[in-house]
Amino acid sequence: MEKIKNIIIGFGKAGKTLAQDLGNRGETTIVIEKDPKMYGGTCINVACIPSKKLATLAKRKPENVMDADYYTKAIQEKKALIDQLNEANYENVDGTENVKVIDGEASFANDHQVEIALHDGDVVTYEAERIFINTGSRPNIPAIPGLEINGENIHTSETLMDDEEFPERLAIIGDGYVGLEFASIYAQFGSKVTLLSHSPREEFLKAEDRDVAQAVLEALENMGITFLFDAETTQIDKEDEVIILTYEQKETKETLQTDKILVAVGRHPNVQGLNLEAADVILAEDESIQINKRLQTNKKHIYALGDVNGGPQHTYLSLDDYRIVISQLFGDGSYDLAERKYIPAATFIHPPLSSVGLTEKEARAHGYEIKVASLPAASIPRAKILDHKVGLYKAVIDADTDQILGTVLFAEESSEVINLIATAMKGKLTYQTLANQVFTHPAMAEGLNDLYGNVE
C-alpha cells in the first residue's frame, strides 16, 4: 500500500485544478477517474461546453440548409471539440509534477484509505493525509413505465448530444433550465419540440418574477416550441420507429407521438460505489455529501467539492470550491462558503436568460424597501444590429442605500453583461455608477445606462 499526501476522487473542475496546484506545491497527489471519457469533468464532456457548442451552431444554422445534414455535422463538430479538450485535460493534469492520474473506480476502505479497482481487474490501495471527493452528478431518471435510456431514441442530456440522427420530433420531459436550453437548441436546429411540464403555466420558471417568466415563455413559444403544462408522463411505448408518450393533463389521458425523448428532470450527486460508510462520511437528505462552510465533511480531512456537495450545479462554483480549499490549506482560511456572494447565472436559451442577486419578489420577501426599473431589449442599439430584439432588462435597487439588490437580463449577450453587474454588486457600487458609466458603442452593456437611469 502506497502512502501519499492527497487523493482526489473524480476529474471535475475543482479536482483537476486542485491537483495541479498541489502538485506544483510539491505534494504527492493522485486523481482517480473511472471513465476516461470524463477527463476534465461533467462540464467539458457532457454538459456546459458541448451543449453551448450546439447552441452556437444551432443559432448559426442557415435557413436554406437541410436540418438533418446540418445537425449531423454539428454533432460531429461538437465531438471533435470535446475529444480535444478531454485529451488536453488529461495531459495537463497527468503531466504535472507529483501528480498521477489513475483510471479506475474508487471506494473507501476507511477514512484514510481508498481502494481502486483498475480497469485491468487489479485492485490497489492508497493511503492519504487528505482526500477530496469531486465525483459530480448524474441525470435523474424518473420511474415512468416503459422509460429506458437507450441512447437511441430515449435520452438524457448527456446521451442526446452524441446522437447524430436528427429528431424531426423531440419530446422533452421537464421544464427546468436544462430542458429549456435543449428545447431552444433543437427548435433552432429545426425539430418540432414539445416540452412537458408537471407544473401549471402560472408557475413556469417559478423562481423568476412573473414579467420575466412570461417574456421567456412567449419567446420560446414564438420559436415554435409547444408547452404542455400540468402534464404528467405516465407511460412510454414504442411502435415500429415511433415513440408513444402517454401523459395525464387535467385528469384526462392524452398521447403524443415523437421520434425521440429527452428526460431532463434534474441531476443527482454521484456517491454510489464510493462506500462512504467505511469512512463514516455523512450524507445529507438529498444524498449529497454533507459539508461545512469550509467544504469539509464530518471527517475534517475529507472534503467534498463540486456537484456532489449539494450546492448549485455550476462548473464555476466547482472552481470556486477549489479556491476555498486553497484558502483553508495554504491561506488565512478567511474565504469560505459564507463569503461566496453575488454569483451570476445564465441559461443559454435564445436569447440567454442571465441573473444575479435577488428578484423583485425575493427582495420584497426579505423586507427591503425597493425601487424597480425595466427596459425592453428592443431599445438597445446593439440588439437591433444583432437583429434579435426579444427580451428585457430588469433591476431591483435597495431604496435606502441605492445599491443593486439584483438584476435580470433576458437578451442577447446577457451571459457576458451579467458578470459586470455581479462585479459592481461585489464592489458595493450604487446603481448610479452603472447608470453613468461610459460603455463602448454599440454594446449590450450600454443598455445598463438606460436601465439604471430609469430607476425612480
Side-chain angles (χ1 to χ4, degrees), residues 99-115:
V99 178
K100 180 181 180 181
V101 176
I102 298 179
D103 293 326
E105 187 161 359
S107 62
F108 281 88
N110 57 48
D111 64 345
H112 278 282
Q113 295 179 2
V114 173
E115 294 181 347

Side-chain angles (χ1 to χ4, degrees), residues 321-446:
D321 283 354
Y322 148 76
R323 298 188 186 105
I324 290 175
V325 169
I326 292 301
S327 175
Q328 305 307 314
L329 297 182
F330 306 108
D332 62 5
S334 62
Y335 189 59
D336 55 30
L337 287 177
E339 294 300 312
R340 177 185 285 170
K341 300 174 182 177
Y342 313 117
I343 303 301
T347 302
F348 287 81
I349 54 179
H350 184 50
L353 172 65
S354 307
S355 62
V356 63
L358 302 177
T359 63
E360 178 182 354
K361 64 181 179 182
E362 287 173 335
R364 295 189 189 282
H366 280 78
Y368 286 101
E369 291 292 327
I370 63 173
K371 296 182 282 189
V372 179
S374 62
L375 179 79
S379 67
I380 304 172
R382 177 68 174 167
K384 295 183 174 70
I385 292 170
L386 295 171
D387 196 27
H388 199 74
K389 297 176 281 187
V390 171
L392 58 85
Y393 285 8
K394 182 175 182 179
V396 181
I397 307 299
D398 187 333
D400 296 327
T401 65
D402 284 347
Q403 288 187 352
I404 303 166
L405 294 174
T407 297
V408 175
L409 309 178
F410 176 46
E412 286 283 19
E413 301 180 352
S414 67
S415 59
E416 296 286 350
V417 179
I418 200 66
N419 296 301
L420 172 64
I421 300 168
T423 302
M425 293 174 67
K426 191 170 184 177
K428 299 189 182 303
L429 303 180
T430 64
Y431 76 88
Q432 291 95 338
T433 304
L434 293 181
N436 298 315
Q437 176 65 37
V438 178
F439 294 105
T440 56
H441 174 79
M444 292 302 291
E446 277 185 301

Side-chain angles (χ1 to χ4, degrees), residues 127-146:
E127 182 175 304
E129 181 178 320
R130 310 186 199 101
I131 300 175
F132 304 90
I133 305 170
N134 185 220
T135 49
S137 60
R138 67 186 187 277
N140 288 330
I141 308 299
I144 300 172

Side-chain angles (χ1 to χ4, degrees), residues 184-201:
S184 176
I185 291 168
Y186 278 80
Q188 290 176 90
F189 274 131
S191 298
K192 179 178 173 57
V193 177
T194 303
L195 189 148
L196 295 93
S197 169
H198 191 268
S199 301
R201 186 182 185 93

Side-chain angles (χ1 to χ4, degrees), residues 14 32 37 48 54 74 92 102 108 113 120 164 168-169 257 263 301 312 329 358 420 432 441-442 452:
I32 308 166
K37 294 181 180 179
C48 319
L54 290 180
N92 288 340
I102 298 179
F108 281 88
Q113 295 179 2
D120 63 6
E164 296 184 11
E168 296 285 348
R169 299 170 298 182
Q257 294 189 0
V263 180
H301 64 283
L329 297 182
L358 302 177
L420 172 64
Q432 291 95 338
H441 174 79
Y452 294 113

Side-chain angles (χ1 to χ4, degrees), residues 226-286:
T226 299
F227 285 82
L228 299 176
F229 291 104
D230 281 313
E232 181 178 357
T233 304
T234 57
Q235 179 73 38
I236 294 174
D237 299 292
K238 184 176 181 181
E239 296 180 5
D240 297 324
E241 296 303 314
V242 177
I243 304 297
I244 310 297
L245 187 153
T246 302
Y247 63 96
E248 292 182 1
Q249 189 178 43
K250 296 181 179 179
E251 299 183 356
T252 63
K253 185 172 290 188
E254 306 285 349
T255 59
L256 171 69
Q257 294 189 0
T258 187
D259 300 312
K260 295 182 187 293
I261 293 175
L262 167 63
V263 180
V265 290
R267 298 180 66 88
H268 193 79
N270 273 330
V271 296
Q272 73 282 8
L274 288 176
N275 193 28
L276 292 171
E277 298 87 353
D280 291 325
V281 171
I282 297 174
L283 297 181
E285 288 186 10
D286 63 357

